[in-house]
Amino acid sequence: VDAHGAHECNSARFWESLACGCLLVTRRNLIHMPHPFENGIHMFEFQDPLSLGYIIPNLLKDDTTMQKIGRYLLKIS
């Protein structure tokens, strides 16, 4: 979980998590990227603690989604 606070800017943890094939749960990134990562495909974004509290339990119920994302990220890195 990456909960950056630097003016909605991502942190090194954002990039490290994706590069290692980890499932990234992060606040919405406001940095413009030409080819951005997609919410629900490459990572999961949350807006506030309430939405984070919804995402985490649902991901833990079915780890298939987490494994699928991790395999995809390792393939493209």
Side-chain angles (χ1 to χ4, degrees):
V1 175
D2 183 21
H4 55 271
H7 306 289
E8 302 304 322
C9 175
N10 58 28
S11 64
R13 182 175 295 134
F14 179 97
W15 299 105
E16 291 167 349
S17 298
L18 294 170
C20 291
C22 296
L23 176 66
L24 175 63
V25 179
T26 185
R27 290 185 61 193
R28 191 167 71 95
N29 189 351
L30 298 180
I31 294 174
H32 172 73
M33 291 187 224
H35 306 285
F37 295 103
E38 295 181 51
N39 186 25
I41 296 175
H42 306 113
M43 62 176 174
F44 288 92
E45 295 177 335
F46 66 93
Q47 299 296 327
D48 53 38
L50 183 61
S51 60
L52 177 61
Y54 174 78
I55 291 171
I56 299 295
N58 284 311
L59 286 174
L60 294 176
K61 282 182 194 174
D62 179 17
D63 66 348
T64 306
T65 301
M66 293 187 283
Q67 292 174 7
K68 181 176 147 187
I69 290 174
R71 284 192 302 271
Y72 175 79
L73 291 171
L74 287 174
K75 193 180 341 176
I76 64 169
S77 62

